[in-house]
Amino acid sequence: MRKRVGSILGAVAALVLTLGAASPAAAQTGYTQTRYPIVLCHGMAGFDRLFGVLDYWYAIPSDLRSGGARVFVTQVSSFNSTEARGEQLLSQVKQIIALTGAAKVNLIGHSHGGLDVRYVAAARPDLVASVSTIGSPHKGADLATFLRGHLTPNGFDETVLSMFANSLGVVLGLLSGSTNPQDSVAALNALSASGMAQFNSRYPQGVPTSSCGNGASSVNGVRYYSWSGTSKITNIFDVSDAPLALSSLVYSESNDGLVGRCSSHLGTVIYDSYGMNHLDEVNQLLGLVNIFETNPKSVIRAHANRLKNAGL
Ligand code: CA
């Protein structure tokens, strides 16, 4: 009996060793070993690391690093205008370039972060090899447009909303050790359809001219890519699914709970209908995603390989 238990344990140990060997093998092949560093840029109410344990890009940086990528995670104001966030991001990009000695970076932004990276690429295309956006509202987020339309400018509703959102941003900022200024009403304006129309007229790089097509694949030497999901309830254990299902009700097109399918299009559209909601796209919460869909870590890993193969 003891011998039998021993052999079972031996078999389990061998299996663990086999599984464990997958990571070094991936590192050897350099699957995600891009020429330029990868910079991950968070969305609204973002945080690079909350309590030191909850990563916004949950388990994604380590996954990319195991394949040979150099990865940096930036942090900007949780709620603010895209220009304000973009300026904060630009100074961090300059620091990363100084630190690594790399000539450029590959920027990947989620949600509002996908607009920040567009700002940086428009301001300093010489520092950017590629822009990739995940679930970003390039033509506006219907929820922001809806809220904007139902708030009286400088009225009671807006005061209450900005108090709530400003304090949320400040709390997240304090927890993650940041003191960036917060401005929720500016963020709401930035993400509405009219705010995005203004932004796109100033920074048109990669934006589709048609309502739901591809944009230019390369502008000023910068490659542009995008993808998004169109699901809401994807994992019964994830408490963030229900709010996303609720917010999706104000949308007229298929969406990920916060951003419409066509609004997410920028540059080369890799795929716009993953079975993912807005938080699944960055493997949240805590890796609770749709088990019947490609894992978001795999999608981002494959994209890093795409950048590598493009010489970026
Ligand atoms: Ca989820």
Side-chain angles (χ1 to χ4, degrees):
M1 184 64 188
R2 183 178 247 176
K3 192 176 177 186
R4 196 164 157 205
V5 169
S7 66
I8 290 171
L9 286 175
V12 170
L15 180 64
V16 169
L17 283 174
T18 310
L19 291 173
S23 288
Q28 277 168 13
T29 58
Y31 186 73
T32 60
Q33 197 169 354
T34 52
R35 179 177 176 190
Y36 302 111
I38 291 174
V39 181
L40 301 174
C41 312
H42 68 74
M44 192 189 269
F47 39 88
D48 60 347
R49 187 167 275 232
L50 196 58
F51 297 121
V53 290
L54 180 62
D55 290 309
Y56 183 94
W57 299 84
Y58 186 71
I60 292 167
S62 59
D63 186 69
L64 290 173
R65 285 182 189 123
S66 75
R70 283 175 295 172
V71 183
F72 294 84
V73 180
T74 53
Q75 183 179 25
V76 299
S77 294
S78 294
F79 298 92
N80 214 325
S81 70
T82 305
E83 281 87 349
R85 289 169 48 113
E87 280 297 324
Q88 294 169 5
L89 179 60
L90 178 55
S91 67
Q92 290 170 47
V93 165
K94 288 174 182 170
Q95 287 169 16
I96 291 164
I97 283 172
L99 191 70
T100 58
K104 301 177 180 187
V105 292
N106 289 303
L107 297 172
I108 300 181
H110 176 241
S111 193
H112 198 169
L115 309 178
D116 305 338
V117 301
R118 283 178 51 196
Y119 174 87
V120 171
R124 290 296 304 271
D126 56 312
L127 302 182
V128 181
S130 70
V131 159
S132 304
T133 71
I134 310 171
S136 294
H138 300 296
K139 298 284 176 70
D142 286 5
L143 181 65
T145 310
F146 175 84
L147 289 173
R148 188 69 268 180
H150 287 76
L151 292 171
T152 324
N154 302 314
F156 176 74
D157 291 350
E158 186 171 89
T159 308
V160 171
L161 177 92
S162 69
M163 252 170 55
F164 170 75
N166 277 334
S167 53
L168 175 67
V170 168
V171 167
L172 287 170
L174 284 174
L175 290 172
S176 52
S178 162
T179 53
N180 286 321
Q182 313 299 338
D183 188 344
S184 57
V185 174
L188 196 60
N189 283 333
L191 301 180
S192 67
S194 60
M196 280 312 299
Q198 289 170 29
F199 184 79
N200 290 340
S201 68
R202 289 195 293 274
Y203 314 104
Q205 296 85 352
V207 178
T209 49
S210 62
S211 63
C212 202
N214 282 252
S217 59
S218 178
V219 185
N220 297 329
V222 181
R223 300 286 290 268
Y224 285 83
Y225 305 90
S226 62
W227 69 88
S228 69
T230 47
S231 291
K232 268 68 73 179
I233 306 277
T234 62
N235 188 309
I236 57 165
F237 298 108
D238 192 333
V239 295
S240 68
D241 282 24
L244 288 173
L246 189 66
S247 63
S248 76
L249 296 176
V250 305
Y251 289 72
S252 53
E253 65 166 334
S254 54
N255 63 85
D256 66 1
L258 284 175
V259 175
R261 181 175 70 85
C262 297
S263 186
S264 76
H265 286 197
L266 182 79
T268 302
V269 179
I270 289 160
Y271 190 52
D272 65 4
S273 306
Y274 282 110
M276 301 178 186
N277 63 38
H278 198 65
L279 290 174
D280 290 341
E281 291 160 1
V282 286
N283 201 27
Q284 293 288 5
L285 292 176
L286 301 168
L288 292 174
V289 296
N290 185 353
I291 60 168
F292 301 108
E293 176 57 281
T294 310
N295 189 276
K297 284 194 292 183
S298 305
V299 171
I300 295 176
R301 194 187 311 130
H303 187 58
N305 183 252
R306 184 179 293 115
L307 297 175
K308 177 195 170 184
N309 290 338
L312 308 173

